[in-house]
C-alpha cells in the first residue's frame, strides 16, 4: 500500500547486535536501508555495522548531549514524511541509552513508532542465569553512591522479582559485596561480554561471585542478575487461630482477611482462611443451638 504524499513518516526503533555481528535481523537491515536517516549514539561505532551489511543510509549523531537540540528538527522531518531509524551502540535503544525524548515527542506529534526487536543484553543474561524469568525488573545502572544507591540496592533485595542490572566492570565486586551484606546467600549470575568471543556466565551466591571477581576483576560489559526475595513461610495453623479470634471480636470476613494479609499471608490465602473461619464459626453456633 502506497503512503499518501502528505502522510508523516515513521520512527523505527531498531535493535542492533550486542556483540556478535550475526545477531542482526533481516528486517533490521531492510529498515536501515530504506529510511532517510539513521540516528546513532556514536556514528564511529555504528558505521562498521552499516558497512558490513552494505547499508548506505546517512548517519547522524543523536545522544544525551544533543538530543534536546536535535529532537524538534527530527520531528519536523518525520512530519514532512521522512522515515527515520533510531539505533544505539549495542542492543535496544532507550534501555539505559538515549531516545526517550525523541520517541515521546514523536508520539505527541502523532507519528507512528515501529519497534524492530533484536538482541538484548537484559534478556540474554536473564535467560542464561537459571533464575526465575517469569517476572523480573530491569534496574539499569545503579547510582554510584549515597542514599540513592542504598535505596536502589534495598529495593532489589526486598523485591520478590528477579532483578537485572548493568554494572561497570570496576564496580562489580563492590556491588556484589553490598548485595551480600543485605541479602546473604542470595543467588545471582554475572554475565560478561555476552555473545562476544570471551563471553562468560557465572552463577552462584552473591558471596561466591564477590570472591571470584575480587580475585579476578572482570573486563568488558557486565550484566548482573539477582534472584528475588523468597516469600516468607506462612504458618496456616496460626493464621486459622488468629482468624477465629478476630471473628470472635466481631470483625467481618473482609477485615479478618486484611489483618491476616498484614501478618504475611497472600491475599488469596488470607481470604480463604477468613471465609473458612467464618463458615466453621457459623456451623459451631448452629450446632450449639440444636
Amino acid at each position: 500500500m502506497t503512503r499518501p504524499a502528505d502522510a508523516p513518516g515513521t520512527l523505527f526503533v531498531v535493535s542492533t547486535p550486542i556483540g556478535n555481528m550475526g545477531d542482526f535481523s533481516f528486517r533490521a537491515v531492510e529498515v536501515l536501508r530504506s529510511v532517510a536517516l539513521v540516528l546513532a549514539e556514536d556514528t564511529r561505532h555504528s558505521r562498521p555495522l552499516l558497512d558490513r551489511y552494505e547499508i548506505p543510509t546517512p548517519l547522524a549523531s543523536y545522544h544525551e548531549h544533543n538530543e534536546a537540540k536535535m529532537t524538534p528538527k527530527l520531528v519536523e522531518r518525520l512530519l514532512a514524511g521522512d522515515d527515520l531509524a533510531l539505533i544505539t551502540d549495542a542492543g535496544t535503544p532507550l534501555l539505559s541509552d538515549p531516545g526517550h525524548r525523541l520517541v515521546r515527542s514523536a508520539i505527541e506529534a502523532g507519528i507512528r513508532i515501529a519497534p524492530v526487536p533484536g538482541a538484548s543484553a537484559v534478556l540474554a543474561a536473564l535467560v542464561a542465569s537459571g533464575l526465575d524469568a517469569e517476572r523480573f525488573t530491569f534496574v539499569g545502572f545503579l547510582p554510584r553512591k549515597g542514599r540513592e544507591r542504598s535505596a536502589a540496592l534495598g529495593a532489589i533485595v526486598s523485591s520478590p522479582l528477579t532483578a537485572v542490572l548493568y554494572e561497570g566492570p570496576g564496580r562489580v565486586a563492590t556491588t556484589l559485596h553490598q548485595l551480600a551484606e543485605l541479602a546473604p546467600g542470595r543467588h545471582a549470575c554475572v554475565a560478561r561480554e555476552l555473545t562476544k568471543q570471551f563471553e562468560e556466565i557465572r552463577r552462584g551466591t552473591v558471596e561466591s561471585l564477590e570472591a571470584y571477581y575480587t580475585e579476578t576483576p572482570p573486563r568488558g560489559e557486565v550484566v548482573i542478575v539477582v534472584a528475588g526475595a523468597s516469600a516468607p513461610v506462612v504458618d496456616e495453623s496460626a493464621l486459622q487461630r488468629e482468624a477465629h479470634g478476630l471473628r470472635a471480636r466481631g470483625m467481618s470476613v473482609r477485615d479478618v482477611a486484611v489483618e491476616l494479609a498484614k501478618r504475611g499471608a497472600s491475599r488469596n490465602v488470607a481470604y480463604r482462611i477468613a471465609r473458612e473461619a467464618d463458615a466453621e464459626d457459623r456451623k459451631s453456633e448452629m450446632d450449639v443451638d440444636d
Side-chain angles (χ1 to χ4, degrees):
M1 181 181 295
T2 303
R3 187 171 65 193
D6 58 347
T10 296
L11 175 61
F12 294 91
V13 182
V14 182
S15 298
T16 56
I18 59 175
N20 191 313
M21 286 284 201
D23 295 333
F24 205 29
S25 72
F26 291 115
R27 182 184 173 211
V29 173
E30 291 173 354
V31 166
L32 295 188
R33 285 175 178 166
S34 69
V35 297
L37 181 68
V38 175
L39 304 167
E41 186 178 3
D42 185 339
T43 56
R44 296 167 300 179
H45 182 94
S46 298
R47 175 48 66 190
L49 175 66
L50 269 62
D51 287 346
R52 171 164 179 167
Y53 286 94
E54 299 180 350
I55 299 169
T57 309
L59 270 173
S61 296
Y62 184 83
H63 47 71
E64 61 179 340
H65 301 296
N66 72 355
E67 61 180 343
K69 180 180 179 181
M70 290 275 292
T71 296
K73 298 177 182 178
L74 296 171
V75 171
E76 287 181 7
R77 289 195 62 171
L78 287 160
L79 288 172
D82 280 348
D83 290 335
L84 306 180
L86 175 67
I87 65 174
T88 186
D89 285 352
T92 302
L94 278 72
L95 297 184
S96 294
D97 283 315
H100 179 265
R101 185 193 297 262
L102 177 58
V103 170
R104 186 72 256 168
S105 297
I107 291 171
E108 291 171 355
I111 293 162
R112 174 178 171 244
I113 309 298
V116 182
S120 165
V122 173
L123 296 180
L126 178 65
V127 299
S129 69
L131 302 176
D132 180 20
E134 292 287 328
R135 299 187 305 153
F136 71 95
T137 183
F138 173 57
V139 179
F141 283 100
L142 293 173
R144 294 200 174 192
K145 56 184 178 180
R147 293 181 180 177
E148 290 185 353
R149 182 176 178 86
S150 297
L153 288 166
I156 288 171
V157 300
S158 62
S159 172
L161 305 182
T162 301
V164 185
L165 58 131
Y166 292 154
E167 189 54 283
R171 293 188 296 275
V172 169
T174 298
T175 297
L176 291 167
H177 175 74
Q178 292 172 326
L179 288 168
E181 288 184 326
L182 294 170
R186 185 71 61 86
H187 284 276
C189 170
V190 176
R192 184 178 68 83
E193 292 291 86
L194 285 166
T195 78
K196 299 177 184 177
Q197 181 180 358
F198 298 106
E199 175 181 274
E200 177 185 62
I201 299 173
R202 287 191 170 271
R203 309 168 187 85
T205 63
V206 284
E207 291 91 345
S208 66
L209 291 169
E210 177 202 350
Y212 177 81
Y213 286 108
T214 298
E215 291 295 323
T216 313
R219 295 181 180 180
E221 298 176 348
V222 177
V223 183
I224 301 176
V225 187
V226 184
S230 300
V233 177
V234 177
D235 184 344
E236 286 204 15
S237 297
L239 290 176
Q240 289 166 355
R241 292 192 294 271
E242 183 75 13
H244 286 294
L246 294 172
R247 286 289 295 137
R249 287 160 50 187
M251 294 182 69
S252 68
V253 171
R254 179 182 180 280
D255 289 341
V256 170
V258 170
E259 289 300 315
L260 296 182
K262 292 178 181 178
R263 289 156 173 74
S266 69
R267 184 174 181 273
N268 289 340
V269 170
Y271 270 96
R272 174 173 60 78
I273 292 176
R275 287 194 297 269
E276 290 173 352
D278 176 63
E280 291 170 4
D281 290 346
R282 289 180 184 276
K283 184 177 185 303
S284 296
E285 291 171 1
M286 293 175 61
D287 290 343
V288 169
D289 291 340
D290 291 342

